[in-house]
Amino acid sequence: MNGLSLERPSSVLSHNPAKMVESKLDGVPDTWRQTMLLERPNAGVNICSMYGSPSDQWVFQSETEQALSMSFLLEGRIEAAIEDGVDLRLSNEQVLLMASNQPISGWDVFSAEKDFKLVNVHITASALEGLTGLAMSDILQQMRSAKLDMPHLDVCMSTLPLSSSLRRLAAEIVHCQHRYADSPLKNMFLCAKATEALATIIHSKITSNGNISTQRALPTDRPKLVRAKALLENTYTDTWTVAALAQAVGLNEKRLQAGFQTLFGYSVHECLTRIRIDVALAMLAHGFSVTHTAQSVGFSNISHFSKTFSQQIGMPPKRWAKEWLLSEAKTQPN
């Protein structure tokens, strides 16, 4: 292990995310135990959400078999290291992605200046194949194509920004833990969101770093398409048309539309709508009114915003905001 800011404690329990349900959080400090809510929606799929204000750092040894882990850090700090591998540091609004095709061990340090908010999804190799049809080697191959490799280990670990889409998915996982607490729908929903999060992360890594198939398919248009998507993300309140966006990046409309479908998997209009709804979710979660949110993300018509929101999220924005605020209140320590 390299570079952790704290020395290893002489005696500390080792934690395996795949076995924390069975362990019933034995050995977890009380101030951290109070922040945790554990779920196992399917065999090999383990989800831990952590929302609270722990008073001390938590330093622990971690170990796991072949598995994939996605950690969405909304608030707080994490230092993570693999024995004989890399060490990484995360702070607010980052995601840690790790895929391992061999047993590994390492160390982690969790700390918070004020609040600590984390959603961790841990999926064993067999569960990954059952959920997605992908083997761990497939995930590793995709990550390595984006230059995220540790060549001496059959392991990849990387960080990326917590995009609006991933922030929404993390929020929906926590929301589901409370909304469907006693319903069989909870397990189905959590597995679906875990799969969607993985697809979003892998797609983000490939489109931002490139791989052979993408670059061959769009050798000259790809940089302009990436720039077009960035324009939508940075100016989502503008009334973009396909013609205006195509002119802004120097592509004709047909190639822009075809390129968006090929590279991002959806049309220009669908992309802009997704961006606006993701921002709207964040605003509603912070207590902004539906009217103010709709206007702030580029909708001049409130009924159009409500209809679009319901189509994307499955419920009206006012209802979503109410349920989100209730679920947030339940996660706060007494």
Side-chain angles (χ1 to χ4, degrees), residues 209-286:
N209 293 280
N211 63 14
I212 293 173
S213 60
T214 298
Q215 290 176 352
R216 284 180 180 171
L218 298 165
T220 58
D221 290 357
R222 183 180 177 278
K224 295 178 180 180
L225 293 165
V226 171
R227 189 161 70 251
K229 187 169 183 286
L231 270 175
L232 296 181
E233 290 175 336
N234 294 328
T235 58
Y236 53 82
T237 59
D238 292 355
T239 308
W240 281 106
T241 63
V242 173
L245 188 62
Q247 184 177 10
V249 298
L251 278 176
N252 67 47
E253 295 178 37
K254 185 176 180 179
R255 286 170 63 182
L256 180 72
Q257 285 281 40
F260 258 68
Q261 289 289 352
T262 301
L263 193 57
F264 305 122
Y266 37 76
S267 69
V268 171
H269 175 71
E270 289 170 337
C271 180
L272 181 58
T273 299
R274 285 168 177 248
I275 292 168
R276 287 174 168 175
I277 295 301
D278 285 341
V279 176
L281 286 166
M283 292 186 66
L284 292 171
H286 281 84

Side-chain angles (χ1 to χ4, degrees), residues 130-151:
L131 279 177
T132 68
L134 297 174
M136 192 63 65
S137 57
D138 296 322
I139 300 296
L140 287 165
Q141 181 180 5
Q142 294 288 2
M143 293 178 69
R144 284 170 178 152
S145 73
K147 303 177 181 178
L148 309 174
D149 193 17
M150 279 180 275

Side-chain angles (χ1 to χ4, degrees), residues 78-280:
I78 293 178
E79 296 180 64
I82 295 177
E83 292 284 358
D84 300 320
V86 301
D87 63 88
L88 296 171
R89 291 166 175 79
L90 289 82
S91 56
N92 297 354
E93 303 283 305
Q94 286 189 284
V95 180
L96 174 62
L97 174 67
M98 186 191 73
S100 172
N101 212 21
Q102 66 179 71
I104 56 171
S105 62
W107 285 78
D108 294 277
V109 180
F110 287 5
S111 56
E113 293 181 359
K114 182 181 178 183
D115 296 329
F116 190 88
K117 297 182 180 181
L118 173 75
V119 176
N120 175 262
V121 179
H122 185 274
I123 307 174
T124 64
S126 57
L128 176 70
E129 192 158 4
L131 279 177
T132 68
L134 297 174
M136 192 63 65
S137 57
D138 296 322
I139 300 296
L140 287 165
Q141 181 180 5
Q142 294 288 2
M143 293 178 69
R144 284 170 178 152
S145 73
K147 303 177 181 178
L148 309 174
D149 193 17
M150 279 180 275
H152 62 297
L153 297 173
D154 204 7
V155 178
C156 285
M157 188 162 70
S158 178
T159 62
L160 66 155
L162 186 68
S163 66
S164 59
S165 295
L166 293 175
R167 188 185 300 109
R168 170 179 59 81
L169 287 166
E172 288 179 348
I173 287 172
V174 176
H175 181 63
C176 172
Q177 288 178 298
H178 297 282
R179 183 186 180 198
Y180 298 117
D182 301 314
S183 169
L185 289 174
K186 178 176 69 174
N187 292 343
M188 180 174 64
F189 189 96
L190 290 174
C191 286
K193 289 301 168 185
T195 304
E196 184 181 355
L198 176 59
T200 301
I201 289 173
I202 296 297
H203 184 266
S204 173
K205 278 297 180 186
I206 292 171
T207 55
S208 62
N209 293 280
N211 63 14
I212 293 173
S213 60
T214 298
Q215 290 176 352
R216 284 180 180 171
L218 298 165
T220 58
D221 290 357
R222 183 180 177 278
K224 295 178 180 180
L225 293 165
V226 171
R227 189 161 70 251
K229 187 169 183 286
L231 270 175
L232 296 181
E233 290 175 336
N234 294 328
T235 58
Y236 53 82
T237 59
D238 292 355
T239 308
W240 281 106
T241 63
V242 173
L245 188 62
Q247 184 177 10
V249 298
L251 278 176
N252 67 47
E253 295 178 37
K254 185 176 180 179
R255 286 170 63 182
L256 180 72
Q257 285 281 40
F260 258 68
Q261 289 289 352
T262 301
L263 193 57
F264 305 122
Y266 37 76
S267 69
V268 171
H269 175 71
E270 289 170 337
C271 180
L272 181 58
T273 299
R274 285 168 177 248
I275 292 168
R276 287 174 168 175
I277 295 301
D278 285 341
V279 176

